[in-house]
Amino acid sequence: DGFTSSSNDSLPDLVNNKNAKNNIGRLRRDNMDEFLSWAFFGVDCATVESDTNMKEALDQFYTILESKAGLQFEPGRNSHFTPRWFTFENVQSLYRPFGVYAAVALLQFTANCVLYIMGFRQYTCEKGLRYWHRPASRQKQQECPFLFFHGIAPGGHAPYLPMVLLGLLRGDRSCHRDIFFFENKPITYSLCFDALSEEDTVHGVVEAMHQHLDSYGANNLMLCGHSFSSCQLTWMINSPQLKNRVHSMILLDPVSIILHEPDVVVNFLYTRSPDYEDSYHEKPDSLRGK
């Protein structure tokens, strides 16, 4: 499903030539070599051919495809198929005017004011992770602490405020739990040039838990992440310091799971130009018409 073609058939159909009505032929070995070289090694096919270890691994992929999926690829190349090399393709940079960043900064400032009025306070960890925290209003909390990680959104938490106002903070139970909102500035349309690593992010969360929760002995954490932040949640459950403290997880449109869906990649990485807009709507999978 990592190819651009004039067909919207599935991979088995392309390999077994069940798409005769489109008259584009089979997906061949050289086409797959190009795609697999990028997908698994991050290099072009010529580099794989010149490296013995990578060539052996590539041949093993075909053994698995044949034994597990019953797929066999004929030698040669079919010119109707072009692999999608997301990291090799040219990027058309579009620079936003300063007014966009000013508007986003104003939106974020407004959201921060709302959070402050609602009882949240902002903190910055040693490694640079920034978050908002509202403690449980009772002496001893009765509900699992709630940790929220936002997705790619202008203004960070700003688009999530309706969920906070109408969901998390409604009812009496909300006062019995600590609530955390962790920020990821590089995905908030902010002027930011440094992204925190997995190690620094996990360290920041551990530091926040130590500062606000260890005195309660709270070990049952409820994690919630939207879109891109599902990757951060993966870091949390893989961390030796946090994985045993995670009680439950809520995933909202998790990128770490649905990114394999071809239409998700196309929507996110490719522009829907007018010359293939109709073709896009007719072909919901990754095999788009040129």
Side-chain angles (χ1 to χ4, degrees):
D1 283 352
F3 292 88
T4 297
S5 76
S6 57
S7 169
N8 62 341
D9 296 304
S10 64
L11 181 59
D13 288 344
L14 294 173
V15 175
N16 296 321
N17 201 26
K18 294 182 179 179
N19 54 323
K21 64 180 181 180
N22 295 305
N23 196 30
I24 64 173
R26 296 172 183 260
L27 187 63
R28 296 179 178 270
R29 176 71 177 250
D30 288 353
N31 300 116
M32 288 298 297
D33 283 349
E34 292 174 343
F35 175 70
L36 294 175
S37 296
W38 167 81
F40 287 95
F41 305 112
V43 297
D44 56 29
C45 186
T47 303
V48 172
E49 291 291 338
S50 63
D51 187 286
T52 303
N53 292 330
M54 287 193 288
K55 184 64 171 63
E56 290 179 355
L58 185 63
D59 292 337
Q60 185 64 26
F61 295 156
Y62 289 105
T63 301
I64 295 173
L65 287 172
E66 181 176 350
S67 61
K68 301 294 184 180
L71 299 178
Q72 293 183 336
F73 298 88
E74 295 180 352
R77 174 182 285 101
N78 187 331
S79 60
H80 288 93
F81 297 94
T82 303
R84 281 177 170 162
W85 299 328
F86 303 132
T87 55
F88 290 167
E89 295 171 355
N90 294 328
V91 176
Q92 296 181 354
S93 301
L94 297 177
Y95 297 94
R96 304 181 184 91
F98 176 77
V100 173
Y101 294 100
V104 170
L106 178 61
L107 178 65
Q108 191 162 22
F109 175 78
T110 303
N112 291 345
C113 291
V114 172
L115 287 173
Y116 189 88
I117 294 173
M118 295 167 61
F120 287 84
R121 295 296 180 265
Q122 190 178 66
Y123 301 86
T124 302
C125 299
E126 179 185 358
K127 299 291 187 178
L129 181 65
R130 184 177 299 174
Y131 65 95
W132 289 84
H133 170 244
R134 195 196 74 168
S137 60
R138 302 301 176 91
Q139 192 71 18
K140 183 178 181 181
Q141 63 175 214
Q142 301 173 6
E143 302 290 340
C144 296
F146 184 85
L147 284 63
F148 183 81
F149 298 80
H150 65 78
I152 300 175
H157 293 304
Y160 301 93
L161 285 183
M163 180 186 72
V164 176
L165 294 170
L166 304 177
L168 298 180
L169 301 184
R170 290 187 63 184
D172 296 333
R173 297 182 64 182
S174 64
C175 66
H176 298 300
R177 73 167 80 240
D178 284 71
I179 299 178
F180 296 83
F181 287 91
F182 290 91
E183 296 184 357
N184 190 357
K185 196 172 182 180
I187 61 173
T188 62
Y189 282 41
S190 301
L191 292 175
C192 177
F193 305 98
D194 296 312
L196 291 178
S197 64
E198 175 180 350
E199 179 182 353
D200 290 344
T201 302
V202 171
H203 182 277
V205 174
V206 171
E207 181 181 328
M209 299 303 99
H210 175 72
Q211 179 176 349
H212 301 286
L213 298 180
D214 284 359
S215 60
Y216 292 109
N219 290 316
N220 296 324
L221 305 178
M222 178 184 296
L223 306 183
C224 180
H226 173 244
S227 187
F228 182 83
S229 64
S230 60
C231 300
Q232 293 175 298
L233 264 59
T234 303
W235 300 347
M236 302 300 116
I237 61 176
N238 284 331
S239 167
Q241 298 169 288
L242 290 173
K243 63 181 181 180
N244 293 329
R245 302 183 65 173
V246 177
H247 175 265
S248 57
M249 291 178 59
I250 302 173
L251 302 176
L252 308 173
D253 293 331
V255 165
S256 58
I257 295 177
I258 65 175
L259 190 59
H260 74 282
E261 294 290 344
D263 57 332
V264 175
V265 176
V266 171
N267 290 343
F268 195 83
L269 296 179
Y270 293 91
T271 302
R272 302 184 189 182
S273 58
D275 59 337
Y276 69 86
E277 183 73 20
D278 293 338
S279 175
Y280 177 91
H281 288 296
E282 292 173 359
K283 300 175 177 61
D285 64 8
S286 68
L287 300 173
R288 308 291 178 208
K290 292 182 178 179

